[in-house]
Amino acid sequence: MGTQFTHINEAWAHLLIDRLYQHGVRDICLAPGSRSAPLALAAARHCDDHPDLRLHTHFDERGLAFLGLGLCKAGRRPVALITTSGTAVPNLHPALVEAFQTHHPLVAVTADRPEELVGCGANQAIVQPGIFQTHVRAALNLPAPDTTLSGGWLAQQLDAILARLQGPGRGPVHINAPFREPLYGTEESLDFEPWLSDVMPVEPSPQPLPGFSLHRLREPVIFVAGQLDTEEAAAVLALAEKSSVPILADIGSQLRLTEHPCVLAHPDLLLAITHARRRLKAMHQVIQFGGRITSKRINQWLAGFQGQYWLVSPHEDHLDPEHHATQIQASIPEFCGQIQIPPQRGLDIESLQSQLSEHLELALTYPFSEPAAARIIADTIPEGMLLLPGNSLSIRLLDMVARPGRGNRCITNRGASGIDGLVATAMGLAMGHPAGATLLIGDLSLLHDMNSLALAKQCPHPLIIVVLNNDGGGIFNLLPAAEQKGHFQRLFQLPHGLTFRNAAALFGLAYANPDSAAGFEKAYTDACRKGGVTLIELNFPPNQSSRIIKGLISALMEVRYET
Ligand SMILES: Cc1ncc(C[n+]2csc(CCOP(=O)(O)OP(=O)(O)O)c2C)c(N)n1
């Protein structure tokens, strides 16, 4: 970092950006504004000096923050968000909530007016310190830049908060940074070497996890895999393989799409089979890795589980909604490296599994449906491409119907399960991952985040957005909401009659609107091959998928062991 600056504001902003870089930030997401000009200009200059630092811009702060979340998930490193003052700031909140719930390190750097301009009618001035309160791991409210506070002091303040980007308690943090004018620098530059002379290098601050001790393991053992990252999933799979332990894998576990003898196919549907649940009654020990299980039937099964139930997670937060697991705070790879599990006997449910497959094939054959589209994506997604299912039917359908395959990383926003920000998250995933991403999303969720389609211009890698347009919230057809006659459409489903062809045209996206399984498969594989951002719209009757799912579940309930 240089030492020549025109003003303390500039030197202050440069030191702040440099500290972000030194704490591992390689992506900065920035929305325009004047109060944030010192930060924006410092970020741009830092990018010129550091080719591995990328700057992304967007006019909409809500989408910007989800873009940051996607980049953070794709690159598995901290991402900074820079905004101006005023309502730009609370627009970051939804993505910070999501990041908080799942320990993703976002740094919100919000420019602010100095304190003498807050609470006195000055333009674009709101109370910003502490605005994210319960949804950041730490917050720092800086004073306006001042030469009486040395560079060393500023660096120390920043290091203390940025340390929260690592370790088991990691997650989003908020730095509120007021600036007085001038905001754009002045003519003459000064040497700030004396001001910077007490800045110390960044020291690593390892945060070890507490040790763990275990009660005696009971047998037989089954694993449940919740939301895991790739290394955690690999450690769980290696342990399962060593001792032949079956795994009930969530769609966000990085194992659900993996073909492996230990990974049970279609676990959500398997647990609809009465005889399969009876078979699982023989289990005396569950070890669950990670939390936030999507499948309602896995959750129900866990709620009724009578044996010894351990839940292993590196974080402190409780992840057991039924409050009956013994939660063990440990690094999942370390735990898997230490625990000894004697070889387990198989579950002996092959005949149930093969009948499940037959029923599923039948349900997916005709007519072309939302579950059939989810299956086609799982079957044909290119190797290495990321998959982001939206938070309504999309994730549940994929979880039900996806055939185990090449083990593509499936990334979810299941911290708060919002239907917001999914397009921006997918843009972030695709921008941060050369093999690109596929987003499977409902129509209301796409409408919610349409602005983020404007990010397509900045996306250098393939992104395929498949919208399941069932004219409103199709998921409510599976809930008691559907029985609220006379209220269902107006209060829950919200049919809108909109289609997306013109939205694709507005944002300059490639567009396809196939109406058959073969047509969709072709459009999808073509889009993956071609690159760029493609919107594929699939139109379905509003309650078609709920009818298919209900029919499939009742058929599965009758499945018996074949003699
Ligand atoms: C931000 C937010 N608002 C509301 C909800 C509640 N919600 C869950 S699913 C859903 C409907 C989503 O509809 P759509 O995206 O069309 O998907 P579909 O149900 O048809 O699969 C709503 C409103 C939510 N999860 N997040």
Side-chain angles (χ1 to χ4, degrees):
M1 172 180 156
T3 61
Q4 297 292 314
F5 301 103
T6 68
H7 194 273
I8 180 63
N9 283 351
E10 215 177 275
W12 189 276
H14 272 268
L15 182 54
L16 193 154
I17 300 292
D18 187 60
R19 239 37 198 180
L20 292 176
Y21 183 83
Q22 296 208 33
H23 281 268
V25 169
R26 292 295 178 272
D27 291 280
I28 297 180
C29 301
L30 176 129
S34 195
R35 195 54 54 171
S36 49
L39 295 165
L41 294 167
R45 214 164 105 182
H46 224 78
C47 286
D48 292 342
D49 297 343
H50 298 85
D52 60 341
L53 181 63
R54 290 163 298 270
L55 188 63
H56 314 270
T57 53
H58 191 27
F59 51 82
D60 170 348
E61 289 81 4
R62 185 171 70 177
L64 183 85
F66 278 106
L67 169 73
L69 184 63
L71 286 161
C72 174
K73 290 185 178 193
R76 285 177 264 176
R77 49 187 326 146
V79 171
L81 316 168
I82 297 180
T83 73
T84 191
S85 64
T87 55
V89 177
N91 267 289
L92 303 180
H93 212 149
L96 292 177
V97 167
E98 179 61 32
F100 179 86
Q101 301 281 94
T102 51
H103 294 271
H104 282 91
L106 293 181
V107 191
V109 186
T110 58
D112 198 358
R113 314 261 144 176
E115 57 183 341
E116 66 273 16
L117 290 182
V118 177
C120 58
N123 184 39
Q124 219 175 305
I126 64 167
V127 179
Q128 294 182 191
I131 194 165
F132 303 120
Q133 283 202 2
T134 46
H135 289 100
V136 284
R137 299 281 157 188
L140 169 65
N141 186 36
L142 287 171
D146 181 342
T147 43
T148 63
L149 296 165
S150 70
W153 177 86
L154 177 59
Q156 218 173 44
Q157 302 294 306
L158 293 168
D159 289 350
I161 189 162
L162 295 175
R164 300 300 302 270
L165 300 175
Q166 315 284 343
R170 70 174 173 268
V173 300
H174 177 204
I175 300 173
N176 193 54
F179 288 95
R180 293 196 175 87
E181 296 196 14
L183 301 172
Y184 296 88
T186 51
E187 290 284 287
E188 210 183 313
S189 74
L190 305 166
D191 189 6
F192 276 79
E193 213 278 320
W195 185 74
L196 290 164
S197 61
D198 63 347
V199 174
M200 305 297 279
V202 172
E203 293 290 339
S205 52
Q207 294 163 26
L209 283 164
F212 58 89
S213 59
L214 296 174
H215 295 287
R216 225 165 64 88
L217 186 84
R218 297 198 199 147
E219 289 180 68
V221 182
I222 187 164
F223 289 170
V224 173
Q227 306 283 313
L228 299 178
D229 71 24
T230 328
E231 289 76 31
E232 292 170 335
V236 171
L237 191 61
L239 176 63
E241 189 172 83
K242 201 162 91 186
S243 309
S244 303
V245 183
I247 309 176
L248 291 167
D250 184 80
I251 188 74
S253 68
Q254 316 311 328
L255 293 173
R256 171 68 185 81
L257 303 180
T258 302
E259 186 156 18
H260 189 280
C262 292
V263 180
L264 297 170
H266 310 293
D268 176 73
L269 296 178
L270 183 67
L271 289 178
I273 302 177
T274 317
H275 279 234
R277 288 200 307 277
R278 261 186 221 155
R279 179 70 194 86
L280 289 182
K281 279 214 167 109
M283 298 292 115
H284 289 158
Q285 171 86 54
V286 164
I287 308 181
Q288 180 181 333
F289 298 95
R292 303 188 193 282
I293 307 287
T294 308
S295 155
K296 197 174 83 184
R297 275 171 283 273
I298 296 184
N299 278 318
Q300 283 167 346
W301 179 73
L302 283 170
F305 180 67
Q306 302 284 322
Q308 181 160 265
Y309 176 13
W310 297 344
L311 197 162
V312 188
S313 157
H315 308 297
E316 249 176 7
D317 345 8
H318 287 281
L319 290 170
D320 161 32
E322 296 296 327
H323 311 284
H324 72 148
T326 302
Q327 195 155 326
I328 299 161
Q329 194 187 1
S331 137
I332 289 173
E334 272 174 34
F335 179 93
C336 292
Q338 285 183 30
I339 189 165
Q340 303 290 335
I341 301 178
Q344 304 291 294
R345 283 188 41 222
L347 281 177
D348 202 15
I349 52 168
E350 288 74 12
S351 101
L352 302 180
Q353 286 279 20
S354 72
Q355 291 177 74
L356 188 166
S357 296
E358 282 164 27
H359 281 287
L360 185 53
E361 292 318 306
L362 210 62
L364 296 179
T365 307
Y366 184 83
F368 180 44
S369 63
E370 293 176 69
R375 161 62 76 87
I376 289 170
I377 292 176
D379 280 353
T380 53
I381 185 167
E383 201 160 350
M385 186 177 265
L386 304 176
L387 178 56
L388 173 68
N391 280 326
S392 195
L393 282 176
S394 304
I395 191 161
R396 292 186 173 79
L397 293 177
L398 258 181
D399 195 29
M400 282 180 196
V401 308
R403 250 192 295 242
R406 288 184 293 264
N408 291 62
R409 258 176 90 198
C410 183
I411 295 187
T412 63
N413 275 0
R414 293 303 283 177
S417 301
I419 61 163
D420 48 348
L422 289 156
V423 174
T425 307
M427 291 280 178
L429 293 180
M431 284 185 205
H433 187 74
T438 291
L439 167 66
L440 180 65
I441 189 171
D443 45 280
L444 289 188
S445 308
L446 177 55
L447 287 168
H448 210 298
D449 198 19
M450 283 252 287
N451 277 355
S452 299
L453 293 175
L455 291 164
K457 285 199 187 77
Q458 294 177 54
C459 186
H461 307 133
L463 172 62
I464 299 89
I465 301 172
V466 179
V467 54
L468 302 174
N469 188 352
N470 53 26
D471 198 14
I475 192 148
F476 294 114
N477 283 297
L478 285 170
L479 301 174
E483 281 125 48
Q484 312 307 308
K485 303 279 177 255
H487 295 298
F488 176 65
Q489 288 201 335
R490 196 163 94 85
L491 300 187
F492 300 99
Q493 186 196 5
L494 267 65
H496 44 72
L498 302 170
T499 55
F500 293 92
R501 182 182 296 272
N502 291 340
L506 175 66
F507 292 101
L509 314 180
Y511 174 82
N513 185 207
D515 59 4
S516 65
F520 172 52
E521 187 169 338
K522 180 167 180 341
Y524 180 65
T525 45
D526 285 353
C528 292
R529 212 173 304 124
K530 186 169 60 66
V533 181
T534 303
L535 178 63
I536 302 180
E537 174 169 4
L538 302 174
N539 304 93
F540 297 107
N543 56 5
Q544 186 204 43
S545 27
S546 58
R547 264 190 285 120
I548 293 173
I549 293 168
K550 284 178 191 164
L552 176 62
I553 299 295
S554 16
L556 290 175
M557 281 160 66
E558 302 307 317
V559 165
R560 305 258 175 283
Y561 278 104
E562 274 167 353
T563 45

